[in-house]
Amino acid sequence: MIGAEGASSSKKARISENPVSKNRPYFALVVDDDPMIRRIHSMILKSVGFKVEVAENGKEAVDLFRTGAKFHIVFIDMEMPVMDGIEATKAMRAMKVESKIVGVTSRNSETEREVFMQAGLDLCYTKPLTMAKIVPLLEELQKN
Amino acid sequence: MERNQQLRRQLASMRQSLFDQGHLDEQFILLEELQDDANPNFVEEVVTLHYRDSARLITTIERALEKSPLDFNKLDGYMHQFKGSSTSIGAKKVKAESTQFREYCEAGNGEGCMKTFQLLKRDYATLRRKLEAYFQLARQAGPNEIACRPK
């Protein structure tokens, strides 16, 4: 699926060194109302071997878990229509969702990020996601 | 073959100038590195999504700047969204101007906001034009590995 042929040498090295592509896949959920962000974050995660599903808002994410879907990790935006990231995270934790939940926000306010963390996040990152942010998370999943 | 090589050289040169002129930053390179055989138009798709979304925001900000008195909170909110979208494609100059605009909002400086917005619109339009030309040339050159990272 990850097209190694024709890829740059740096991309080839990253993919071949990544144990996920050799062992069982990890499943990620990207929750964001911005289609561009969903596309970018999905591609970043797929490039390191995640299987990715997307949701457009918090309610869709919560509904996925309600129907029995399981993910190793969830990347969730803070501000979304219908149900925002804070409410969705609270709902997922109330459902005893054990996935790692990572908030992804463009907000710089410490107060807002703290409120988001308090909802039940494991981590909160500033958008956009980068390899430097994703790789340590993947390594942690592999350790556990 | 020779024509194709010429196109690729032209494409590489066009791409390099976007970085040299400060229009793009490392985030664009990340997008290029994500592009692969399964998603050969990924960068263009993302850039297209950005311009679809950001054009709407530009119009919204323009209308908000016509109001009196200016609602700096609203302006800041719109620009925050615009900046986020610009950051995601690596639009370096536009991102810097967005930051400047937001500083003027915080200071309640309407004139500063308006002047900065004019600069931002200019650079936004310039980058959009250059990227459209770049992707058009890339389509002519045909599928190939994206040009190497700038040295």
Side-chain angles (χ1 to χ4, degrees), chain A residues 46-143:
Chain A
K46 284 175 184 173
S47 77
V48 294
F50 279 98
K51 302 285 187 193
V52 181
E53 277 198 54
V54 297
E56 292 185 14
N57 56 60
K59 184 178 182 302
E60 281 190 17
V62 170
D63 286 346
L64 275 171
F65 280 103
R66 282 211 174 102
T67 58
K70 290 193 190 307
F71 301 95
H72 293 91
I73 191 162
V74 179
F75 293 90
I76 186 162
D77 184 21
M78 188 162 76
E79 295 171 294
M80 293 178 288
V82 185
M83 185 188 281
D84 67 19
I86 294 169
E87 292 309 310
T89 302
K90 284 181 187 172
M92 287 188 282
R93 290 306 190 203
M95 289 163 60
K96 308 288 184 215
V97 165
E98 292 180 348
S99 312
K100 189 177 275 296
I101 304 179
V102 180
V104 189
T105 178
S106 47
R107 285 297 189 190
N108 287 327
S109 158
E110 275 307 310
T111 314
E112 288 176 272
R113 290 165 78 99
E114 186 51 37
V115 169
F116 200 6
M117 284 294 296
Q118 293 286 343
L121 297 180
D122 292 288
L123 275 172
C124 191
Y125 281 141
T126 304
K127 283 184 193 179
L129 288 176
T130 60
M131 288 299 177
K133 292 171 185 170
I134 298 289
V135 170
L137 292 173
L138 178 59
E139 287 170 353
E140 203 182 317
L141 281 177
Q142 288 162 345
K143 271 186 209 164

Side-chain angles (χ1 to χ4, degrees), chain B residues 8-44:
Chain B
R8 291 195 198 293
R9 274 197 294 273
Q10 206 180 331
L11 194 64
S13 171
M14 207 183 259
R15 180 187 174 279
Q16 186 63 46
S17 75
L18 286 168
F19 288 96
D20 292 344
Q21 288 167 12
H23 286 293
L24 294 176
D25 63 24
E26 288 278 318
Q27 178 66 17
F28 191 81
I29 297 172
L30 168 68
L31 298 182
E32 289 179 317
E33 289 186 341
L34 290 172
Q35 186 159 297
D36 57 20
D37 294 339
N39 301 275
N41 303 310
F42 171 69
V43 182
E44 188 175 358

Side-chain angles (χ1 to χ4, degrees), chain A residues 5-6 11 37 39 43 106, chain B residues 33-35 37 45 80:
Chain A
E5 189 155 353
K11 191 159 77 169
I37 293 294
R39 189 87 173 91
M43 280 295 284
S106 47
Chain B
E33 289 186 341
L34 290 172
Q35 186 159 297
D37 294 339
E45 285 167 14
H80 168 76

Side-chain angles (χ1 to χ4, degrees), chain B residues 7 18 23 27 60 62 74 96 104-105 119 125-126 132 146:
Chain B
L7 282 174
L18 286 168
H23 286 293
Q27 178 66 17
T60 302
E62 262 174 338
K74 268 196 178 154
Y104 281 128
C105 284
L119 289 172
T126 299
E132 280 169 359
I146 294 292

